[in-house]
Amino acid sequence: MGAQIGIDINKAAELLSGGKLVAIPTETVYGLAANGLDSTAVAGIFAAKNRPTFDPLILHVGSIEQAKTLCSQWPAAAERLANAFWPGPLTLVLPKAHHVPELVTADNPTVAIRMPNNPLSLSLIRSLPFPLAAPSANPFGYVSPTCAQHVADQLGDRIDYILDGGDCAIGIESTIVSVSNDNQVTILRLGGLDIESLSEVLGYPVSESLSMHSNPQAPGQLDQHYSPNSSMVHIADFSIDAILKDLHAHPQATRGFLWFSQQQAQGFIEQFDEKTQGLLTDSALKHYHLSINHNDREAAMNLFGTLRQFDKDGCKRIYFSWAPENGLGRAINDRLKRASSKVIH
Ligand code: TXA
Ligand code: MG
């Protein structure tokens, strides 16, 4: 039997207080939540997701005051960023307070904290005497969920309740930054808050230390993550002739094309329509675009749902194109890069 889906905050609070798992909506992606100060409850998250314990979790809070109780330092830059962007898609990594369980931080001396911008989850967290540890509510390595049904499809029989907050407004995970005692801000993961906005609020540039691995102590390794079941192949690696050859070699296999914009898709289809003799509009070929208006926010919102759609369509191979490298386009490309990575750790 699958977990119940509903909007009962009291029920969610009761389950969480009893050490159970509840999926919660946020503006980025759905989280798989448990009492973040209870190691046994947190262990349940790792088990349900099949997540390695070297991958630390984010603690979700309802106020800046609560955030301050979870870290041992709160530099001025943290105060400024939290005031400007919370609740919102920004996670701050700070030295941890002693009582934060080591399982949450994967033995790191730091803890990741954010205040999500979703009315249901905020009311829930504010009604509880503890923060919620919550990774994205997907099996480890798969695409993150952006609606309640995505969670039910994959983790429904492993969790107790799914709080339904509708579709995620941002659709891509939070931007993670570390804040040093001397107010240096370093981006650790690209996400739903663009870097331009961060440095504008700070009044000075931020640096980047983007690890492609989910273990913060093993940087520089490419992690296959956010991946659909089909293999993802960047379109520039394939000339149209190579794509045709691939299609002819496996005529029955369902293939997908993931375009950033509708315009880009149309351009491609028109350009090669003659050459392919209508093959590209064949029913075994699925074309999806992330944005109608070439808009990075719209594209981010649609990214994970579209990757799931390819799996539902039974696509064996997805040819994709990059997003423009600005605004949320950088975070979209980061997810595409990981989804298409061949290396699995
Ligand atoms: O938008 C989000 O951030 C979503 C929603 C549910 O809040 N959560 C999310 O959690 O994406 P998750 O577990 O899928 O990714 C959290 C990542 C970890 O993989 C790790 O890379 C980083 O946060 N992280 C957590 N604690 C850290 C720490 N102390 N130092 C460095 N990185 C940390
Ligand atoms: Mg995740």
Side-chain angles (χ1 to χ4, degrees), residues 4-183:
Q4 197 191 340
I5 301 180
I7 55 165
D8 188 344
I9 303 179
N10 295 330
K11 180 178 172 137
E14 212 170 284
L15 287 164
L16 289 162
S17 300
K20 305 275 201 232
L21 305 182
V22 172
I24 58 163
T26 84
E27 78 284 26
T28 58
V29 301
Y30 274 68
L32 178 56
N35 178 347
L37 300 182
D38 173 350
S39 294
T40 311
V42 170
I45 295 178
F46 284 96
K49 270 185 70 102
N50 241 337
R51 178 176 173 119
T53 50
F54 61 65
D55 193 0
L57 306 178
I58 297 172
L59 289 179
H60 294 70
V61 296
S63 69
I64 291 181
E65 285 318 303
Q66 189 184 16
K68 288 181 185 170
T69 67
L70 301 169
C71 50
S72 61
Q73 273 150 16
W74 184 258
E79 178 76 14
R80 185 175 284 218
L81 292 175
N83 277 321
F85 298 115
W86 281 3
L90 176 68
T91 295
L92 301 178
V93 171
L94 295 156
K96 87 188 245 317
H98 185 67
H99 68 288
V100 173
E102 255 126 43
L103 189 56
V104 168
T105 63
D107 287 329
N108 283 284
T110 52
V111 60
I113 311 172
R114 100 174 178 98
M115 192 195 304
N117 190 12
N118 175 279
L120 272 183
S121 290
L122 268 185
S123 309
L124 170 65
I125 296 167
R126 286 173 180 162
S127 77
L128 294 168
F130 48 79
L132 292 179
S136 50
N138 51 280
F140 185 70
Y142 193 71
V143 181
S144 299
T146 52
C147 66
Q149 192 56 48
H150 290 167
V151 182
D153 288 346
Q154 291 188 302
L155 297 178
D157 52 2
R158 297 185 180 197
I159 60 182
D160 297 289
Y161 191 61
I162 300 170
L163 197 58
D164 188 354
D167 290 341
C168 298
I170 290 181
I172 203 159
E173 296 85 349
S174 61
T175 298
I176 303 180
V177 302
S178 68
V179 183
S180 73
N181 231 0
D182 60 353
N183 296 302

